[in-house]
Amino acid sequence: MGKFYVTTPIYYVNAPPHIGHAYTTMAADVVARHRRLAGDDVFFLTGTDEHGQNIERIAKEHGMPEQKYCDMIAAEFKRMWGKLNISNDYFIRTTDERHMRAVQKFFRAIYEAGDIYKGHYEGWYCVRCERFYDEDELDEDKNCPIHGLPVEWVKEENYFFALSKYRDRLLKHIEENPDFIQPESRRNEVLSLLEEGLEDVSISRSTVKWGVPVPIDPSQTIYVWMDALCNYISAIGYGDDEETFKRYWPADLHLIGKEILRFHAIMWPAMLMSAGLPLPRRIFAHGWLTKEGKKLSKTTGNIIDIDGLVERFGVDPVRYFFLREFSFGKDGDYTDQAFITRYNADLANDLGNLLNRTLGLARKHFDSVPHPSRPGEHDDEIRDMAIETHRLSAEKLDRLAFDEALETIWNFVRRLNKYIQQTEPWRLAAEEGTRDRAGTIIYNCLEGLRFISVMIYPFMPETSLKIREQIGLRGEMDEDYSSLESWGRLKPGLPLGEPKPLFPRIKVERATPQPTKPKEEAMITIEDFRKLDLRAAKVLEAERVEGTDRLLKLVVDIGTERRQVVAGIAQSYSPEELVGKTLVLVANLKPAKIRGIESQGMILAAESKEGCAVVILDRDIPPGTRVR
Ligand code: MSP
């Protein structure tokens, strides 16, 4: 049994997870599950990048201590990975003590190799990217190429890593190991960067407090990228658990997005060389996603709502879509229409129907998995195709050609549907003389579905198990790829499960509720939004305002004080049902007199013709907590 160590980038906790993070992480999950089925001892790592100037600033903007802020966002990442069925073996956080010790040890190793020196640095720095840019990489207004936000001029005395010294060794390594950087276009990009020459890089910051102290000079912190890259070794015990470290290092695959290629393919390998450690075997940089042709951006509202997609369609269609629709190394454009088309065609029609028809026929004519006692036309072709499909799709998965692997599997799904069409088992089952032939055909379809359940498991684990339950197996993955080496392992006589549709068709008319997009001039910025002081407000008292049937007078606790508020919600709420609830108050609204009563704020509510619904915080939270 081999080992396989696969990693994702660790994500900045400057904001909750978005589709870009999910894309890499879902891909890594498919690889991890695939290698486990292939029999490897897999270590699958993901986590969060929590230090540096950017996080320091954002925590301050939120009015939170850094660690508390990081804990909150790291929890969001964990929740999202749970929702997407990510099977990571470990979740690393760069604020973990163990990680921080490893970073210091790594720094020392490089220092002792004579590759760290003190020098001055001046340059343009993007806090969001946490990196310096050359002037010619910026636009005319000095904005960074990734975020389009202004860079800052930084002038400091820092520690430097002698990166330039490693240029020749790196070039040689990349030339001798054609698979080291993939895809080919990215490899060429790195080669040409190396050919241009390398400059030494600053690896510490004197002005940033939120980081790992430089072991030889605690007045500085280690540059967040050096800190972050170390996660790949600290998570498996570098400097702490030699046995585990030796078992898994070097990584077999670092999966990253194309914008962080230089750090992974130049800085990281050079540092590893300096520290005397082996290099990762493969670095694969995937493309970027856009939506409807435009860059994803929270500020413009052009986002892909993963939570919403999963809640609406289920986790597996989401995993399927993103890996099927795009070629992993290239950029891809998401549209709601493409999602629905794929869902209906590939999932509802092809796979859903195959299972439905097979199970329907099997249960109608046989009460358990029938015996394959009468071979006939097409059977050998189906058997050979099943075995070949597995071989091909596994090989494509090893190359990270997820879309091609799925296409190969779907050719087989469609072939089985055609097989049913060609052989018409419903007709054969109706006559005594051909009933055993019908049983054989249905057996082949069920066995084909067993193959499919194993082959799609890395992509759609839930669906795979649902299929297995229906075709008479247990609802767990108790096989690996070795069970796909031969045909006919499904035992005749197994009781069939309940037929349940896997993917209800999406009706197209209702499928794309277009969110009403505000006009450009009506948009507000995050700064505008932040002007609102929204607070959790616990209702202490409530009563009707005399002489009106619309108004309630509430007394609410907002932590620091009590406020009296008049709210037009009496037709939908009785005073009794509101007492004790925690609502949301706009706390910095100028007081106003309503029916002669002063109202010191406004309660948030949604209003329709039928009545209104107030925003109630759905779990206990201290009065006065900021809502954003
Ligand atoms: N913290 C660094 C990585 C350190 S790794 C030692 C970082 N974090 S990040 O939060 O910005 O996440 C970067 C990753 O998010 C990219 O590498 C990529 O995997 C993913 N994506 C972010 N936006 C994306 C798209 N629009 N499309 C696809 N993936 C993108 O950089």
Side-chain angles (χ1 to χ4, degrees), residues 8-15 18-25 47-50 77 94 128-130 146-147 224-232 255-261 263-264 286-290 295-296 304 331-332:
T8 71
I10 49 170
Y11 305 112
Y12 286 133
V13 289
N14 61 337
H18 58 66
I19 189 67
H21 306 133
Y23 185 48
T24 325
T25 312
T48 40
D49 190 352
E50 305 188 357
F77 274 91
T94 53
R128 287 287 205 90
C129 301
E130 293 282 15
I146 303 280
H147 299 97
V224 60
W225 264 102
M226 178 174 189
D227 172 355
L229 287 162
C230 283
N231 91 88
Y232 300 133
L255 276 182
I256 57 168
K258 64 179 184 181
E259 82 289 5
I260 54 176
L261 180 65
F263 293 104
H264 284 82
H286 65 71
W288 264 44
L289 300 178
T290 49
K295 210 172 155 168
L296 298 173
I304 301 169
D331 292 345

Side-chain angles (χ1 to χ4, degrees), residues 251-309:
D252 296 273
L253 178 63
H254 286 324
L255 276 182
I256 57 168
K258 64 179 184 181
E259 82 289 5
I260 54 176
L261 180 65
R262 279 191 208 190
F263 293 104
H264 284 82
I266 296 180
M267 182 171 169
W268 178 228
M271 286 182 166
L272 288 166
M273 283 174 177
S274 169
L277 293 173
L279 305 194
R281 299 217 162 90
R282 183 151 71 124
I283 300 162
F284 192 105
H286 65 71
W288 264 44
L289 300 178
T290 49
K291 183 180 173 190
E292 318 273 356
K294 289 197 216 83
K295 210 172 155 168
L296 298 173
S297 151
K298 261 213 304 219
T299 353
T300 62
N302 196 40
I303 56 158
I304 301 169
D305 171 18
I306 332 169
D307 270 306
L309 282 176

Side-chain angles (χ1 to χ4, degrees), residues 544-559:
R544 290 185 185 279
V545 174
E546 281 204 8
T548 129
D549 52 8
R550 234 177 50 79
L551 300 177
L552 287 185
K553 185 174 96 182
L554 309 176
V555 176
V556 296
D557 175 5
I558 57 163

